[in-house]
Structures are given as structure tokens and as C-alpha cells.
Amino acid sequence: MSQQLGLLEFIELYRTEEACKALLCDLKWSGGYSCRRCGYTEHIKGATLFHRRCQKCRYDESPTAHTLFHKLKFPLPKAFAIIYQVSTMKKGMSTCEIA
């Protein structure tokens, strides 16, 4: 993202789980896929649209695995909005503001 998006533009752009997972896929595997278990670099479609499954050992990895969003208990768009607000505010946010 070369230009700064406003909060409303950001929320509109990443308002669905699919949009958030697509971005995570692009970021997580931008340097190419490599299996966490065996290191093999070829993959096939995983359990869901955004998962990657290793062709060799069949390890299935989600785009949120081993990231800040691993085992998230609320929707990804909400988490994205929180991260956006924390990262763009000059003084940061208190935990009360985040809640």
C-alpha cells in the first residue's frame, strides 16, 4: 500500500473474512511457499480456499497460522480494524480504547 488509507476506506476494503485472508495469503507466502514441517516448496489447494497443503507431507496450513491472528476468537475484519487504528494513531491506543 503506497498511500495511506483512511479508516473508512480501510474498513470497506477489508470488511470480509475472505478479503482479510486473501491479504494474509499474499503477505505470508509472498516469497513463495515453504512447508513448515518438511521444507518442501510445492503446494496444492488445502482444506479451504486460502489454505495451502504440502504436496510431500500433506501438512495443511491456514493463512492465519503462526501469525498475530493465530487462533483468533473474533472476526478477522475486527482484528484488522484494531491493528489499523493502533498503527496509525500517533500516541497509540490504551487497552480501554481498544476494548
Side-chain angles (χ1 to χ4, degrees):
M1 289 183 208
S2 59
Q3 64 183 25
Q4 177 98 14
L5 295 175
L7 177 61
L8 295 177
E9 296 167 320
F10 183 85
I11 290 172
E12 182 64 27
L13 189 59
Y14 299 109
R15 72 176 185 263
T16 64
E17 290 277 328
E18 292 77 22
C20 295
K21 286 181 181 178
L23 176 65
L24 287 176
C25 281
D26 291 345
L27 294 173
K28 183 173 184 173
W29 294 303
S30 63
Y33 172 82
S34 179
C35 179
R36 287 196 174 269
R37 286 199 180 154
C38 69
Y40 197 66
T41 57
E42 298 296 320
H43 67 87
I44 57 175
K45 183 182 176 293
T48 69
L49 177 63
F50 298 104
H51 285 217
R52 303 277 196 270
R53 180 170 291 170
C54 176
Q55 281 186 330
K56 187 175 180 182
C57 71
R58 300 289 191 217
Y59 175 66
D60 195 61
E61 187 172 339
S62 95
T64 60
H66 309 287
T67 69
L68 178 65
F69 308 105
H70 188 75
K71 294 187 179 183
L72 190 65
K73 303 290 185 205
F74 53 91
L76 268 175
K78 187 174 186 176
F80 270 47
I82 291 168
I83 298 295
Y84 176 86
Q85 288 180 311
V86 168
S87 66
T88 57
M89 293 188 74
K90 292 184 190 249
K91 293 184 180 182
M93 291 178 76
S94 71
T95 54
C96 292
E97 289 176 306
I98 292 171

